[in-house]
Amino acid sequence: MAKSHKPVVWFPFAAGGTVIAFFIPVIVVLTFMAALGHIPPGLSYEKMHAFASNGLGKLIIFGVVALSLWSSAHRLRCTFYDFGVRADTLVAIVLYVAAIAGSLLSAVYLLQI
Amino acid sequence: MSRRPLVREVPPTSWYFRHPRYLRYMSREITSIFVGAYCLLLVVGLQRLASGPTAWEGFLLGLRSADSIVFHLLALAAAVYHATTWFNATQKAMPIQIGEDFVPGNVISGAHYVVWVVLSFAILFLVGVF
C-alpha cells in the first residue's frame, strides 16, 4: 500500500481552513475596533489575561492560532506556485518552518501567562 | 512522418488571465497573504499579552494608525471572502446522503452560514461589543 505524508499536511490544512472561516473574521473585527480607537471591553488586559490563564482558554487560543498559521502556510505555498514560483521545496520549507515556529512561540507565550 | 507531441505552452506567471474562473480562483488564493499576515499579528499580540499590562496596552494603542486601519480592512475582506467561499464549497466537499437522497447542497452551506453568524455574534457579545 502506498504511503504518503500528505494527510499530515492536509488534516491541519482543512481544520485550519474551517477555523479561519468561522473565527478569523470576527477576531479581525475586534482588533479593527481597537485600530479605530474603540477598544472592546473584553480586550482589556484583565479580561484577556484571565481568558489566557484558563487552561481551556489557552487551548482555544492555541488551536485558533496554530491551525490558522498552518493552513495559511499551506495556502501560501500553493499561491507561490500558481504565481509562477517553481522553487516549491524551498517555499514549502520556509513557510512550514515559519508556521511551526509561530505555533511553538504561541505555546511558549501562552505558558508564560 | 514523426508526430511531434502536443505541448501546450502555459505561461507560468500569467495563465490566470485566460479565463474569469481562473481569476476568481487566484483572487481567493491571494486572501491567504492577508490571513497569514494577520495570524502573525496574533502571535505578536500573544507575546505582548505575556509581557504584562503595559506591553498589552501598548500593542492595542499601536494598532491605531492609518496603515493598521488599511491592513485591517484588507484582512477583513480577505477573511470574509475566504469564509464565504469555504462555506460554499462545503456542499461539494462533504455531500450528505440520507437513504437514497442527497441532502440539498444549499442546506449544507446554509447551515454553515447560520453557525458562522451565531458564533460571530456570540463572540462579539462575550467580548462586550454590545
Side-chain angles (χ1 to χ4, degrees):
Chain A
M1 201 172 78
K3 285 192 177 177
S4 164
H5 63 279
K6 279 192 173 168
V8 182
V9 178
W10 261 83
F11 174 73
F13 163 72
T18 307
V19 164
I20 290 173
F22 278 120
F23 293 102
I24 294 295
V26 68
I27 297 174
V28 175
V29 167
L30 294 176
T31 55
F32 186 38
M33 290 178 69
L36 291 173
H38 304 283
I39 298 171
L43 288 195
S44 69
Y45 179 76
E46 293 73 28
K47 292 276 174 64
M48 285 301 294
H49 192 266
F51 182 61
S53 301
N54 178 305
L56 183 63
K58 283 189 206 298
L59 200 64
I60 292 172
I61 296 175
F62 180 74
V64 169
V65 173
L67 288 174
S68 302
L69 273 174
W70 187 263
S71 177
S72 300
H74 186 65
R75 287 186 57 209
L76 275 169
R77 176 189 174 187
C78 299
T79 305
F80 269 101
Y81 191 87
D82 288 338
F83 274 111
V85 181
R86 290 291 179 264
D88 185 52
T89 310
L90 176 68
V91 169
I93 290 172
V94 168
L95 289 171
Y96 291 155
V97 165
I100 291 168
S103 305
L104 286 177
L105 281 173
S106 303
V108 169
Y109 299 144
L110 280 167
L111 291 175
Q112 286 172 354
I113 294 172
Chain B
M1 195 178 85
S2 67
R3 289 173 56 196
R4 288 174 53 209
L6 176 65
V7 178
R8 284 193 304 161
E9 291 288 325
V10 178
T13 53
S14 61
W15 57 272
Y16 42 90
F17 288 111
R18 290 181 163 190
H19 195 287
R21 187 186 295 141
Y22 300 159
L23 270 179
R24 285 203 299 278
Y25 169 80
M26 285 307 254
S27 59
R28 185 173 195 285
E29 290 274 271
I30 292 169
T31 64
S32 67
I33 298 170
F34 300 101
V35 173
Y38 187 77
C39 290
L40 294 180
L41 181 72
L42 289 182
V43 177
V44 173
L46 275 181
Q47 193 267 330
R48 303 278 84 194
L49 184 64
S51 307
T54 344
W56 175 252
E57 270 140 36
F59 171 70
L60 289 181
L61 283 177
L63 294 175
R64 293 181 67 172
S65 71
D67 291 347
S68 157
I69 290 172
V70 171
F71 172 68
H72 274 87
L73 282 173
L74 290 169
L76 185 61
V80 169
Y81 191 58
H82 168 87
T84 53
T85 46
W86 187 268
F87 296 141
N88 291 344
T90 52
Q91 53 179 286
K92 304 287 180 198
M94 42 179 198
I96 300 170
Q97 193 176 10
I98 298 177
E100 291 284 302
D101 305 314
F102 280 95
V103 175
N106 291 342
V107 175
I108 299 173
S109 292
H112 281 87
Y113 277 101
V114 171
V115 172
W116 182 36
V117 170
V118 170
L119 259 178
S120 299
F121 275 96
I123 291 171
L124 289 176
F125 177 74
L126 287 173
V127 180
V129 173
F130 44 74

